[in-house]
Amino acid sequence: MNRTKVRCIMRRFGLCSIPLVLALLLTGCWNRTELNEIGLISALGIDRSEEGWIVTYQFINPSAISAGTGGASKAGGGESPVHVFSSEGPTLREAIDVSYTESPRRLYFPHADVLVLGKEAARKSITDVIDFYWRNTYLRENVSVMITEGQASEMLKQLIPPERLPGTAMAHISRQTDHFNSNFPSIKMYELTRSLDSQSGVAGVPQVEVVGESQSRIESMDQLHKTSTPAKVRITELAVFRKDRSVGTLTRNESIGISWLTDKIRISALSITCPGSNKGTEKFSFQTFSAKTKTRVRKEADGFTMLVSVKAKGRISESNCPENLANLSNLRAAEKEIEEVIKDYMSKGWEASKRLQADLPHFADQIHRKYPKEWSKIKDQWEKEGMQSTRLVLQVNVTIGQTGMSQKTFKPDGG
C-alpha cells in the first residue's frame, strides 16, 4: 500500500471519529446531583440510645434563608431557618441511612459547622464517633466539637438570635470565646483525635447549655421577634475527656488555668485587686495582648518537676484604684499582683487535673519525649501516681505596656 492510500485512510478515520468524540463531550454526567435535591446540614448531634445511636440533623431551610436575606417576604420571614429531625440505628451509618425515610433530600454534611455530643454519648464512649468521622470523606475533620449536659437533639432545636443558623452560631460562639477571653478553648475533630491519641490521652471540650431564669426553650420563631429571650445558649464549663469518655468538668477559673499552662492564651481580661488595697471593690482590669508559655520537665529523685515560664504583655483597660498606676512603683506593684493571679489560675488548673486524673496540660507527652525509658516504666500508673507527685515551679513575668489615656481614676469634683 503506497503512502497516498495510507494518508487517505487516516483522513477518513479522523473524520469519522469527530462525531463520536462530540457525542461523548455532549453527554451529561450520569451521577450528577441537582442543587434542589441537596439538603445542607449546618449542625450534627449524636446521642446514645438503648439500641445504639441517635443522629440529629439541623437541616437548612433555603426558602427561609433567602426570604430573610431579602427581608421582603412575611411568609418566608416567619419560617424557621432550620428543620431539625433525628434518626436511630444500631450503628451511626445505619442511623444516617434511616434518615432517608424522612428526608426528601440527599443530606450534605460538609457544611456542618459543629458536632454536639449528648451526655450519654460522651459518658459511654466516643470511639465509634471518631472512627466514623475519619472513615468517611463526606465528613469534615475540622468541624467544631461541643458537648451538652442533656440531649444533643434538644440542643440543636434551640435558636440563637440574632443569627439565623443555630449550628453556625454555636461554632462562632466557641471561636469567639477562644479568641477573646480564652476561658474555654475551642476544639476541632482533628485536634480532639490528636489529643486523645497522645501519651496523655486527654482533651477538653466546651460544654454548651441553655441557661436562664425560666430555663425555657428557644424553639419558636416568635422568640426572634423579642428584644430579649428568657433563655440563652451559653458555654458554661469545659468537659474533660480521658481516653474515649467524659470524666468530669472544669469551672471557668480552672479552665483558664489550663489555657495558661498550655500556651492557649490569646486575649484575656483579668480582674486584679489594686496594689496595697484592703477593699475588695478596688480593682483594675488587665487585658493581655500577647502571652507565651514555655514548659520544661526535670527529673528528680522522687518524681518529676515541671518548670513553667510565662511572659505576658498587656494594658490597663479599667481602674478604680486610688493610686496612679502610671507611677513607676505602683506600676511594678500592679505587675506583681497580676503575676500572682496568673500563678493562682495555673495552680487551680493543675489541681483540677489531678482531681480528675486527667493530664490536661499534656505533661506526659513532654516526659515521654525527654525521658522515654522512665516513661515506659510509669505510664501505666501516670494518672493515679505520677501526676499526683509531679510538682509545678511557676515563673511569671508580666509587663504593663499601656495604662490607658487617663493617668488617674476618674472622680468628679466634690465626689
Side-chain angles (χ1 to χ4, degrees):
M1 185 179 295
N2 59 36
R3 187 175 299 174
T4 303
K5 288 183 178 181
V6 171
R7 287 177 179 175
C8 183
I9 292 172
M10 291 179 67
R11 189 180 299 112
R12 289 177 182 176
F13 178 77
L15 291 173
C16 291
S17 64
I18 289 175
L20 179 61
V21 173
L22 290 175
L24 291 172
L25 292 175
L26 293 175
T27 302
C29 297
W30 65 272
N31 63 342
R32 73 181 184 276
T33 302
E34 300 294 344
L35 286 176
N36 59 1
E37 298 175 356
I38 291 177
L40 299 179
I41 303 300
S42 62
L44 271 175
I46 295 180
D47 292 298
R48 278 279 195 175
S49 68
E50 292 182 2
E51 283 126 14
W53 299 91
I54 301 172
V55 182
T56 302
Y57 318 87
Q58 200 175 85
F59 185 104
I60 297 176
N61 184 355
S63 61
I65 296 298
S66 59
T69 303
S73 171
K74 289 185 179 180
E79 289 184 74
S80 173
V82 294
H83 171 61
V84 178
F85 67 99
S86 303
S87 58
E88 187 174 354
T91 64
L92 290 166
R93 178 64 258 178
E94 187 166 340
I96 291 177
D97 288 346
V98 170
S99 70
Y100 289 102
T101 61
E102 180 178 349
S103 173
R105 298 190 177 194
R106 174 185 173 185
L107 302 183
Y108 189 74
F109 296 95
H111 275 279
D113 289 304
V114 65
L115 167 67
V116 181
L117 300 171
K119 178 182 178 180
E120 285 302 307
R123 187 177 63 85
K124 290 183 178 180
S125 174
I126 59 169
T127 299
D128 292 348
V129 177
I130 295 175
D131 182 85
F132 185 68
Y133 254 84
W134 285 101
R135 284 183 186 275
N136 294 280
T137 57
Y138 56 83
L139 296 170
R140 295 192 308 167
E141 69 278 1
N142 63 342
V143 65
S144 294
V145 182
M146 305 181 84
I147 185 176
T148 185
E149 180 66 16
Q151 292 280 90
S153 58
E154 290 300 313
M155 181 56 62
L156 261 59
K157 295 176 184 177
Q158 310 310 308
L159 298 174
I160 306 178
E163 302 299 326
R164 295 189 66 80
L165 297 179
T168 302
M170 272 193 283
H172 285 170
I173 288 173
S174 183
R175 287 194 288 268
Q176 299 286 58
T177 300
D178 188 359
H179 182 77
F180 287 108
N181 56 39
S182 305
N183 292 344
F184 305 105
S186 63
I187 191 166
K188 298 184 182 297
M189 176 57 73
Y190 73 89
E191 294 171 322
L192 176 63
T193 306
R194 184 173 60 195
S195 293
L196 295 181
D197 195 42
S198 66
Q199 296 297 320
S200 301
V202 173
V205 178
Q207 181 166 301
V208 62
E209 303 297 339
V210 178
V211 299
E213 294 181 3
S214 63
Q215 292 294 311
S216 61
R217 299 298 177 182
I218 324 168
E219 299 180 21
S220 171
M221 284 296 292
D222 293 337
Q223 297 286 354
L224 299 184
H225 299 154
K226 299 179 180 180
T227 57
S228 179
T229 57
K232 304 183 189 304
V233 173
R234 180 182 299 166
I235 298 176
T236 57
E237 294 178 303
L238 188 74
V240 180
F241 279 78
R242 187 174 67 231
K243 300 305 179 184
D244 62 343
R245 62 198 65 202
S246 173
V247 295
T249 59
L250 298 189
T251 64
R252 175 180 175 273
N253 289 350
E254 292 167 344
S255 180
I256 292 174
I258 296 299
S259 294
W260 280 104
L261 285 170
T262 53
D263 195 30
K264 290 184 179 178
I265 294 293
R266 294 176 175 85
I267 300 173
S268 183
L270 303 175
S271 297
I272 313 295
T273 301
C274 296
S277 174
N278 294 322
K279 297 181 180 179
T281 57
E282 292 181 343
K283 292 181 178 293
F284 69 92
S285 293
F286 175 73
Q287 186 178 36
T288 63
F289 49 69
S290 69
K292 185 65 179 176
T293 302
K294 293 183 179 180
T295 306
R296 294 182 295 113
V297 58
R298 185 173 66 199
K299 187 177 180 303
E300 309 284 0
D302 56 347
F304 294 92
T305 297
M306 305 306 301
L307 309 172
V308 182
S309 173
V310 174
K311 289 187 177 181
K313 294 182 180 180
R315 66 186 185 93
I316 303 297
S317 58
E318 178 185 1
S319 172
N320 64 0
C321 298
E323 300 86 0
N324 179 8
L325 294 181
N327 179 278
L328 186 59
S329 60
N330 292 334
L331 191 69
R332 293 291 176 261
E335 290 173 343
K336 295 299 180 185
E337 292 289 341
I338 299 169
E339 291 168 358
E340 292 304 314
V341 168
I342 293 174
K343 287 180 182 179
D344 184 58
Y345 275 134
M346 289 192 289
S347 297
K348 286 179 178 176
W350 178 234
E351 289 303 316
S353 295
K354 292 195 292 185
R355 183 185 74 242
L356 296 175
Q357 296 183 6
D359 184 11
L360 281 163
H362 289 258
F363 291 156
D365 298 85
Q366 299 185 51
I367 296 173
H368 173 252
R369 284 194 295 269
K370 189 168 183 180
Y371 303 102
K373 291 182 179 180
E374 287 78 0
W375 172 249
S376 63
K377 299 176 183 177
I378 66 169
K379 65 178 181 179
D380 293 335
Q381 297 298 319
W382 169 244
E383 290 87 359
K384 293 183 179 180
E385 297 178 7
M387 281 182 61
Q388 312 308 319
S389 62
T390 299
R391 294 176 296 276
L392 291 187
V393 174
L394 305 175
Q395 181 180 3
V396 181
N397 182 271
V398 169
T399 302
I400 298 176
Q402 301 172 16
T403 57
M405 297 177 64
S406 176
Q407 299 298 313
K408 295 183 179 180
T409 300
F410 173 73
K411 290 183 179 179
D413 291 340

